[in-house]
Amino acid sequence: MTVPHEQIVTPAASPATRWRRLFIALWVPVVLVIASFGMSAVVTANHGPALSPVDEWVYVDYLFKLPVQGIVHEGEKIGTEALVIMSCDGVTPYGPMGPTCGSSLADLSSFPYKGVTSADAYTPAYFAVTRVVGDAIHTVTGINQLSSWRVTGALWLGLAAVLLHLLLRQWRIRRPVILGLGLAVIASPFAWWTYTYISTDAPSLAFGILLLLAAVKIGRGQWSGWWLPVISTVAVLFKVTNVLGVCLAALYLLILWLLELKQTQWAGWKTRRPHQQNRSSLGLIFFAVLALGASVSAQLAWLAFRSAEAVGIPVDQAIGIPLTPEELVSQVATFLPGTIVSNVNISGSTNLAYAIPGFVVAPLSWICITGVLGAFWTLRKGSKLTPIVVSVTLAALFFAPMLAIMIHVTTGNYFPLPPRYGAPILGSFLLLAGLTIRNRWAVGILLGYSVALYAYVLINAPLLA
């Protein structure tokens, strides 16, 4: 006798089965979070009181002033606490700057930029999170305030690792591959600078991954499109360069929309495909444009407020150069090979401030380059991967020149972009790398290298930090 479908009862999974499923689902993100906290804590503990050359001096000043002022103002002088740190402890690897430690701070002319802040461009979003969380860590653990602010980077790195796992699992990338890619970025020079010092780049990787994850979910009809403009606005208020993550998410939705129109012979403006009943094709382009508009509007509003609150002339960092066609073309090779290995050049030298040997980290660039270009070169006509592969490839190659043009048009200046500005799209490079790793040998090599690199960074932290 045939049993009616509605009478078929699926037996409940046993407790052991449920625990096994939970372990399989969570072991990779848990390991990555532990690795994130371990790297950040160990390296931060080995840092001395000298500040990072990546603007940590002005960030510390912002954090000292935040409870009283809320923001730092354009043209504002650096406060006494940060001036003392600079004159006594200085910047790694240069040493103290300004007057002799313990002497009068009345004359600021010997400090960098004559003691004027360059952090006025930032909203208080990142600094508020750092101050509140860092002070809580300081109160609970008793570590000094500077270290407690620095160690908040571990939270941003752990969050980025969890979001990377979620994004890559959307594309059914195997968990050992995700583990290898996650450990690679955690042990990278980019992470060393970004998550062990106070850095406004700390939220960028997480926001970039979240934006792309939202775009993928929206494209599949699994999330409301309204999430994208909300996340985009918040991301840009943390740092303006996060607009690159917004642009990538919008580009992905645009390409997905064009492909859907092509499949309906350019007639399906409001077509709902069977597997996407929760959205229309037109909604893709609507939310893409809305996200771009909302994020740009938020930044323009901040710039207007910043200008109205100015108290002096903005600092001239004297790093501008002409934006020539050759310089613009050279930016094509900035983000794809450079973001994950971004380091700091010592002024007047060919040495790097983080003295990890180049051959040790070179494979990180290879992973990104072969991942993105390999996915693009092997893409087949009609592949479901077309929107993500094409959008990420375009971002990897052309977003740096685009950002250079944007900076030149809006400020009248140009400077060679630091590779770390590519942080909002770094997660997408790892996504394509994960899509191209398809055999056990490749997985084994990736895992072996990533684990070895992570161990190298921790073991050598007392020497390199």
Side-chain angles (χ1 to χ4, degrees):
M1 182 178 67
T2 303
V3 179
H5 178 74
E6 60 271 13
Q7 294 181 13
I8 298 176
V9 178
T10 303
S14 66
T17 301
R18 289 196 296 268
W19 279 109
R20 179 175 177 273
R21 290 173 180 173
L22 185 63
F23 173 79
I24 291 173
L26 296 181
W27 76 269
V28 170
V30 168
V31 169
L32 291 178
V33 168
I34 293 172
S36 299
F37 286 9
M39 189 283 294
S40 183
V42 169
V43 176
T44 300
N46 282 279
H47 286 323
L51 302 171
S52 161
V54 191
D55 298 330
E56 192 177 27
W57 181 42
V58 295
Y59 299 158
V60 167
D61 177 60
Y62 206 131
L63 289 167
F64 278 126
K65 293 175 177 176
L66 183 73
V68 177
Q69 297 183 191
I71 64 170
V72 296
H73 305 84
E74 184 177 358
E76 182 176 320
K77 301 292 185 180
I78 299 288
T80 302
E81 297 94 335
L83 292 175
V84 169
I85 294 175
M86 180 62 89
S87 66
C88 294
D89 301 314
V91 172
T92 184
Y94 305 104
M97 299 182 184
T100 304
C101 180
S103 63
S104 172
L105 300 174
D107 182 11
L108 303 183
S109 61
S110 59
F111 283 107
Y113 312 126
K114 298 182 178 181
V116 177
T117 185
S118 60
D120 57 279
Y122 296 101
T123 75
Y126 165 75
F127 299 98
V129 172
T130 303
R131 180 75 199 235
V132 170
V133 176
D135 283 1
I137 294 172
H138 169 68
T139 301
V140 171
T141 65
I143 63 175
N144 67 73
Q145 198 168 38
L146 178 61
S147 294
S148 69
W149 291 340
R150 285 173 171 174
V151 84
T152 59
L155 302 177
W156 290 111
L157 183 55
L159 176 61
V162 171
L163 290 172
L164 181 67
H165 175 265
L166 292 175
L167 175 64
L168 270 58
R169 286 302 295 162
Q170 289 295 309
W171 299 93
R172 300 187 181 277
I173 294 172
R174 289 179 291 173
R175 290 181 175 88
V177 175
I178 299 174
L179 178 62
L181 293 171
L183 288 176
V185 73
I186 289 168
S188 68
F190 164 77
W192 196 91
W193 284 113
T194 304
Y195 302 107
T196 68
Y197 287 107
I198 301 164
S199 171
T200 54
D201 293 314
S204 294
L205 178 59
F207 271 120
I209 296 172
L210 179 59
L211 285 163
L212 188 54
L213 177 63
V216 171
K217 289 283 194 179
I218 292 166
R220 297 176 180 178
Q222 297 171 347
W223 282 14
S224 168
W226 294 104
W227 279 111
L228 189 59
V230 172
I231 298 170
S232 299
T233 301
V234 175
V236 170
L237 288 176
F238 267 80
K239 187 162 187 172
V240 66
T241 53
N242 292 339
V243 74
L244 296 180
V246 180
C247 290
L248 175 56
L251 181 60
Y252 168 77
L253 292 179
L254 172 62
I255 294 173
L256 185 60
W257 175 67
L258 290 174
L259 289 176
E260 289 192 1
L261 286 183
K262 182 181 178 181
Q263 290 172 358
T264 57
Q265 289 154 4
W266 308 101
W269 286 86
K270 296 183 179 180
T271 300
R272 282 183 171 86
R273 305 190 70 78
H275 60 291
Q276 296 161 342
Q277 291 296 322
N278 294 328
R279 66 152 177 86
S280 67
S281 292
L282 185 59
L284 296 177
I285 195 66
F286 171 76
F287 287 114
V289 172
L290 184 61
L292 289 170
S295 57
V296 171
S297 297
Q299 181 61 20
L300 291 176
W302 164 250
L303 290 177
F305 176 79
R306 170 196 174 204
S307 179
E309 294 292 313
V311 297
I313 300 173
V315 62
D316 180 12
Q317 300 190 45
I319 57 175
I321 64 172
L323 180 58
T324 63
E326 293 80 5
E327 184 64 30
L328 191 62
V329 172
S330 72
Q331 290 300 317
V332 170
T334 296
F335 290 161
L336 182 55
T339 297
I340 198 168
V341 294
S342 56
N343 209 322
V344 177
N345 293 98
I346 298 176
S347 180
S349 169
T350 58
N351 295 327
L352 298 172
Y354 176 34
I356 190 169
F359 72 88
V360 173
V361 297
L364 295 172
S365 293
W366 302 347
I367 291 169
C368 293
I369 294 169
T370 57
V372 173
L373 297 185
F376 182 74
W377 286 335
T378 59
L379 186 65
R380 296 183 178 183
K381 183 178 180 180
S383 171
K384 294 181 180 179
L385 298 177
T386 297
I388 192 67
V389 171
V390 173
S391 60
V392 172
T393 303
L394 291 174
L397 298 177
F398 301 116
F399 273 18
M402 179 189 74
L403 182 60
I405 293 172
M406 290 171 58
I407 292 173
H408 182 69
V409 170
T410 56
T411 68
N413 297 311
Y414 165 74
F415 55 90
L417 300 179
R420 59 187 172 85
Y421 281 8
I425 58 175
L426 175 57
S428 68
F429 303 165
L430 301 176
L431 168 60
L432 294 201
L435 290 172
T436 59
I437 298 174
R438 298 177 181 176
N439 65 74
R440 293 181 179 179
W441 283 101
V443 175
I445 292 171
L446 173 65
L447 274 173
Y449 169 71
S450 298
V451 171
L453 178 61
Y454 183 84
Y456 182 94
V457 169
L458 264 60
I459 293 170
N460 289 279
L463 298 176
L464 298 176

